[in-house]
Amino acid sequence: MKTGCIPIEQMQNRGYAEARRTRKKQAVRILPLQYKWCVARLPVSPTVDAHGPTYGLPSEGMVQKLDQKLPVANEYLLLSGGVREGVVDLDLDELNVYARGTDYDMDFTLLVPALKLHDRNQPVTLDMRHSALCHSWLSLRLFDEGTISKWKDCCTIVDHINGATNYFFSPTKVADWFYDSISIVLSEIQKKPQRGMPKVEKVEKNGTIISIILGVGSSRMLYDIVPVVSFKGWPAVAQSWLMENHFWDGKITEEEVISGFYLVPACSYKGKKDNEWRLSFARSEVQLKKCISSSLMQAYQACKAIIIKLLSRPKAISPYHLRSMMLWACDRLPANYLAQEDYAAHFLLGLIDDLQHCLVNKMCPNYFIPQCNMLEHLSEETVMLHARKLSSVRSDPAEHLRTAIEHVKAANRLTLELQRRGSTTSIPSPQSDGGDPNQPDDRLAKKLQQLVTENPGKSISVFINPDDVTRPHFRIDDKFF
């Protein structure tokens, strides 16, 4: 029977393989029952595209007003799920540990363009001479003098022999500026609270990411804010990927897939943190998720819930690696097989097999730039440690899934208990002006979560006037709410 990935029988002797097949059959019988129960409880990560500041996080428009650095007409990408959930390819080593239920109830990632390079009709060529694959330095020579003047304090400077000065956009300096600016804006908000404004519970800088937890009614919303550089078009280094056959061919257009990409503030393991950015195809991944079957997405969510805890120390495998493996599996396997509605258990076993195969071979190609191996930096010791852990999962996947479900149930119970206490104590928010401050906030927070959950893969725009942040307007595709 297919598991969707690397057959385990090829890696074991015949006697041991027979025992593994028996256990697999048992797991396949058990897992579908587990899935019916757990899918509604495991956190799902639909993805939305937000243009403009989002409700609950009104500070972006105010940051732009602070020193005019951010583009006036900016476009934000809002992703359901925090950076720790693997929605963007960023390094997790420097992030503080937050737990759903204990620290937050809903989590999002917001990509905020510090610079935009749009309206280009040819492949985008980046300066990769100093970087590893999938990474690049960014010279401000691509921009006008006004942009250079605004951002040169966030650059590293390289003087050439001919006397010319080159300004390289620095991810670490941009992140520092962004954190300082957001802190100033949030401090001003707290000095002059407005009705309907959320309560700022925590603001932290985690490497190049700014994490904000907002109290919105009885809910706590975690935003991981990532300063990025936004490009229209497609990078030249990924041109060959477009020449291959893919699972999404005929389902969505190439124009939808290659509408743009980002540089995110992350460097390679041997790169210079002050200069090196990482290519991100988050916008393309929004489109590709539309073409993935619900049963495979269920398997991905279940596998992610298992490995986040199991493989967290030492840091080696992130949920983004698992997402890349899933996309490769979509390209490799027949479409009619992946469309099977009751094959979630098979797909889970297959993803675990793929993950173990990638670890043992220390090879996980980036889906968009296959020549970039995302695991080549791992030590043999780390690889074998995680491979042994995965072997234990593969021998009894149902038990590990039950454990993951119990963790989610515990987080949900804690969230409900905290919300119950908040509703019974009715402590006024320090940022409210009396009356019933929680109710309107809570309705809007729930409305946002409902829109995200019910419209996976659709374009959801959120327009907010920075001078009146209490009145958001939602647009889903061409419909307004």
Side-chain angles (χ1 to χ4, degrees), residues 160-199:
H160 294 281
I161 298 176
N162 60 8
T165 299
N166 202 350
Y167 294 94
F168 288 98
F169 208 41
S170 169
T172 53
K173 291 186 178 183
V174 170
D176 289 341
W177 165 82
F178 201 45
Y179 174 71
D180 291 341
S181 298
I182 286 180
S183 298
I184 292 171
V185 166
L186 292 178
S187 176
E188 290 300 314
I189 289 175
Q190 289 175 308
K191 290 178 183 176
K192 301 177 182 178
Q194 299 180 32
R195 184 178 180 83
M197 290 292 286
K199 176 184 176 182

Side-chain angles (χ1 to χ4, degrees), residues 121-160:
N121 296 317
Q122 66 271 10
V124 180
T125 301
L126 298 168
D127 185 357
M128 297 183 169
R129 294 171 298 171
H130 313 288
S131 307
L133 278 168
C134 278
H135 298 81
S136 176
W137 291 23
L138 181 66
S139 171
L140 290 192
R141 286 180 177 177
L142 297 171
F143 301 87
D144 57 42
E145 288 297 326
T147 300
I148 294 174
S149 177
K150 281 193 295 187
W151 283 107
K152 63 183 179 181
D153 58 333
C154 290
C155 294
T156 58
I157 302 173
V158 176
D159 292 319
H160 294 281

Side-chain angles (χ1 to χ4, degrees), residues 163-427:
T165 299
N166 202 350
Y167 294 94
F168 288 98
F169 208 41
S170 169
T172 53
K173 291 186 178 183
V174 170
D176 289 341
W177 165 82
F178 201 45
Y179 174 71
D180 291 341
S181 298
I182 286 180
S183 298
I184 292 171
V185 166
L186 292 178
S187 176
E188 290 300 314
I189 289 175
Q190 289 175 308
K191 290 178 183 176
K192 301 177 182 178
Q194 299 180 32
R195 184 178 180 83
M197 290 292 286
K199 176 184 176 182
V200 180
E201 300 202 353
K202 183 179 290 188
V203 182
E204 289 187 334
K205 184 171 178 288
N206 295 291
T208 54
I209 299 163
I210 294 88
S211 297
I212 300 178
I213 297 179
L214 300 176
V216 185
S218 60
S219 300
R220 296 159 301 164
M221 304 172 73
L222 166 63
Y223 285 94
D224 287 325
I225 309 176
V226 186
V228 301
V229 181
S230 173
F231 291 85
K232 287 289 187 185
W234 197 246
V237 69
Q239 279 296 113
S240 60
W241 178 79
L242 295 175
M243 305 297 108
E244 305 292 334
N245 294 323
H246 297 290
F247 72 97
W248 47 267
D249 292 338
K251 299 176 183 177
I252 54 178
T253 65
E254 185 174 288
E255 287 71 24
E256 290 177 281
V257 175
I258 65 171
S259 60
F261 68 99
Y262 297 98
L263 294 181
V264 297
C267 72
S268 60
Y269 283 84
K270 294 182 179 179
K272 292 187 65 175
K273 284 189 175 183
D274 288 343
N275 286 347
E276 198 169 82
W277 298 77
R278 179 174 298 163
L279 274 76
S280 169
F281 300 90
R283 186 174 294 280
S284 301
E285 289 164 1
V286 170
Q287 303 299 327
L288 297 185
K289 284 181 68 175
K290 298 177 184 178
C291 307
I292 299 175
S293 68
S294 59
S295 54
L296 180 54
M297 284 305 301
Q298 290 170 13
Y300 166 74
Q301 295 293 344
C303 192
K304 182 174 72 170
I306 292 171
I307 70 164
I308 280 180
K309 295 287 185 183
L310 188 72
L311 306 184
S312 60
R313 293 289 185 273
K315 292 289 185 185
I317 295 292
S318 78
Y320 189 81
H321 294 123
L322 182 64
R323 175 182 291 202
S324 299
M325 295 172 200
M326 177 180 66
L327 293 174
W328 282 117
C330 289
D331 273 357
R332 187 176 69 247
L333 297 168
N336 59 351
Y337 173 65
L338 292 173
Q340 297 291 326
E341 294 184 0
D342 58 346
Y343 269 34
H346 302 68
F347 298 152
L348 173 58
L349 298 178
L351 287 171
I352 295 171
D353 283 350
D354 263 10
L355 193 54
Q356 191 162 26
H357 179 77
C358 289
L359 271 171
V360 170
N361 290 278
K362 214 159 69 171
M363 172 64 71
C364 179
N366 181 285
Y367 181 66
F368 300 94
I369 306 177
Q371 58 270 36
C372 173
N373 176 13
M374 297 188 290
L375 298 183
E376 66 178 352
H377 63 280
L378 295 184
S379 68
E380 294 296 329
E381 181 182 7
T382 298
V383 164
M384 295 313 298
L385 173 63
H386 286 318
R388 284 193 293 269
K389 290 180 180 179
L390 278 176
S391 292
S392 70
V393 174
R394 191 59 170 79
S395 65
D396 193 357
E399 181 58 33
H400 283 83
L401 184 55
R402 291 188 192 101
T403 301
I405 292 169
E406 287 303 316
H407 283 138
V408 173
K409 288 174 62 181
N412 290 341
R413 284 196 299 268
L414 185 55
T415 293
L416 291 173
E417 176 62 21
L418 291 172
Q419 290 178 345
R420 185 188 65 79
R421 290 179 185 176
S423 62
T424 56
T425 55
S426 299
I427 299 174

Side-chain angles (χ1 to χ4, degrees), residues 87-144:
V87 296
V88 183
D89 183 17
L90 288 168
D91 302 323
L92 307 182
D93 295 353
E94 298 179 323
L95 299 184
N96 292 334
V97 177
Y98 297 152
R100 186 185 298 271
T102 303
D103 301 300
Y104 65 91
D105 306 307
M106 294 176 279
D107 55 334
F108 302 89
T109 298
L110 186 66
L111 304 188
V112 178
L115 288 175
K116 299 193 301 182
L117 208 60
H118 287 181
D119 301 325
R120 295 173 66 95
N121 296 317
Q122 66 271 10
V124 180
T125 301
L126 298 168
D127 185 357
M128 297 183 169
R129 294 171 298 171
H130 313 288
S131 307
L133 278 168
C134 278
H135 298 81
S136 176
W137 291 23
L138 181 66
S139 171
L140 290 192
R141 286 180 177 177
L142 297 171
F143 301 87
D144 57 42

